[in-house]
Amino acid sequence: MDVAHRLRTEGYRMTPQRQLVWDALRRAERHLSAEEIHEQVVDIVPDFNLASVYRTLTLLGELGLANEVQVGDGRGYWEIAHDDDVVHLHCRVCRRVDHHQGELVAEIRNHLAGHHGFVSEDVDLVVHGVCAACDR
Amino acid sequence: MDVAHRLRTEGYRMTPQRQLVWDALRRAERHLSAEEIHEQVVDIVPDFNLASVYRTLTLLGELGLANEVQVGDGRGYWEIAHDDDVVHLHCRVCRRVDHHQGELVAEIRNHLAGHHGFVSEDVDLVVHGVCAACDR
DNA sequence: ATCGGTGCAAACAATTTGCATTAGA
DNA sequence: TCTAATGCAAATTGTTTGCACCGAT
């Protein structure tokens, strides 16, 4: 996915800072907080500012290129956008978040469809636990 | 459930403030923010302080008598504790949160049990959408 | 040359904490 | 009485905003 091009067609500009935030997300093996992204980028651009992380993440979110996930501590964690219907498996030890794709979320939608007259939009399924690597 | 007694056996004291916070949660038809609880109680105890709401909620949480749920805006919402395995149906219009009890969460646990070696602890399923009452 | 993006500092909002005072048991 | 709980104010933390300058197109 060419983010630079995508940004330009939407009337935004690609900047080194934005590129570096994007790179950090791509490279990440887990969801990153704004703070963590900032720490990575500031090594390369010393006066890089936290506010720019937030502005960039908000923008990427609006363009559907990145997502925020709440894992329960006040802060927000970010990841490259992916299909809506995934389960987040959140390891409380290493804090990594795995994605489990499958029919599960679709089943949840079906299951709820009949009842209550509740119109489901986003299904937000976060399972907290311990991942295989940390479980010993 | 006699909270006063429960508190005492754990070495805590029942105070008018704590009772009123508890009453607010019992009475509530939806999850309440700390601010909302404070607004209710301050009508009865004029100099009742927000910090006491937080301290009381934290305590009730530790005793397993109340739960916090994150619905996605930065703030925390509280409810009387209930069975773990419920789905939270969060209406984005009236902000009410319904509980849907059923085999759903158990199914999710089963579904995940085989895969990944991930050990599930809390299943946190929040479905965002529009409830029957608001859907028209 | 524009006008959008950045750094910086200040503003915010939700929650927490330190401390002197009050009040359950 | 004795120690936990409260009110109050100040401190923290995560995030947002205003503004003057900078730089991508």
Side-chain angles (χ1 to χ4, degrees):
Chain A
M1 175 177 321
D2 186 3
V3 190
H5 180 259
R6 178 68 197 287
L7 284 173
R8 244 175 290 116
T9 61
E10 303 275 353
Y12 301 102
R13 294 170 183 172
M14 177 49 96
T15 66
Q17 290 90 332
R18 282 179 178 164
Q19 185 66 57
L20 289 163
V21 169
W22 181 252
D23 292 345
L25 288 173
R26 297 236 66 155
R27 196 186 317 121
E29 296 193 351
R30 49 173 195 158
H31 297 194
L32 300 175
S33 67
E35 195 82 49
E36 289 167 333
I37 295 172
H38 179 253
E39 280 168 20
Q40 291 188 29
V41 178
V42 89
D43 286 342
I44 303 172
V45 182
D47 62 356
F48 178 62
N49 197 271
L50 230 200
S52 293
V53 181
Y54 283 106
R55 285 186 282 228
T56 300
L57 290 174
T58 304
L59 177 59
L60 293 173
E62 283 166 357
L63 296 181
L65 297 168
N67 291 89
E68 187 178 11
V69 186
Q70 307 272 147
V71 227
D73 61 350
R75 139 190 49 208
Y77 290 94
W78 291 79
E79 59 175 335
I80 297 287
H82 55 67
D83 265 9
D84 268 5
D85 287 2
V86 297
V87 183
H88 286 92
L89 300 173
H90 172 240
C91 175
R92 65 166 161 74
V93 179
C94 66
R95 266 224 14 246
R96 236 171 273 271
V97 183
D98 245 25
H99 292 155
H100 172 65
Q101 194 125 21
E103 345 73 62
L104 199 45
V105 175
E107 276 173 28
I108 293 168
R109 288 185 194 282
N110 292 338
H111 188 106
L112 294 174
H115 304 292
H116 306 83
F118 188 91
V119 182
S120 312
E121 292 168 357
D122 294 323
V123 175
D124 200 351
L125 176 52
V126 181
V127 180
H128 303 266
V130 183
C131 73
C134 293
D135 183 36
R136 53 194 45 126
Chain B
M1 174 180 318
D2 185 3
V3 189
H5 180 259
R6 177 70 197 287
L7 284 173
R8 246 176 288 115
T9 61
E10 304 274 353
Y12 301 102
R13 294 171 184 171
M14 178 48 98
T15 65
Q17 290 90 329
R18 284 181 177 163
Q19 185 65 57
L20 288 164
V21 169
W22 180 252
D23 292 345
L25 288 174
R26 297 236 66 154
R27 197 186 317 120
E29 295 193 351
R30 48 172 194 158
H31 297 195
L32 299 174
S33 66
E35 194 82 51
E36 289 167 332
I37 295 171
H38 179 253
E39 279 168 22
Q40 291 188 30
V41 177
V42 88
D43 285 342
I44 304 170
V45 182
D47 63 356
F48 178 60
N49 196 271
L50 230 199
S52 292
V53 181
Y54 285 106
R55 286 187 282 229
T56 300
L57 291 174
T58 303
L59 177 59
L60 293 174
E62 283 166 358
L63 297 181
L65 298 169
N67 290 87
E68 189 179 10
V69 186
Q70 308 272 145
V71 233
D73 61 351
R75 134 190 55 206
Y77 290 94
W78 291 79
E79 59 177 334
I80 296 288
H82 55 67
D83 263 8
D84 269 2
D85 287 1
V86 298
V87 182
H88 286 92
L89 300 173
H90 172 240
C91 175
R92 66 166 159 76
V93 180
C94 65
R95 268 222 16 244
R96 237 169 274 268
V97 183
D98 246 26
H99 292 155
H100 171 65
Q101 195 125 20
E103 345 73 62
L104 198 45
V105 176
E107 276 172 30
I108 292 169
R109 288 186 194 282
N110 292 338
H111 188 106
L112 293 174
H115 305 291
H116 303 83
F118 188 92
V119 182
S120 313
E121 293 169 354
D122 293 324
V123 175
D124 199 352
L125 176 51
V126 182
V127 179
H128 304 266
V130 182
C131 72
C134 293
D135 183 36
R136 55 190 45 124

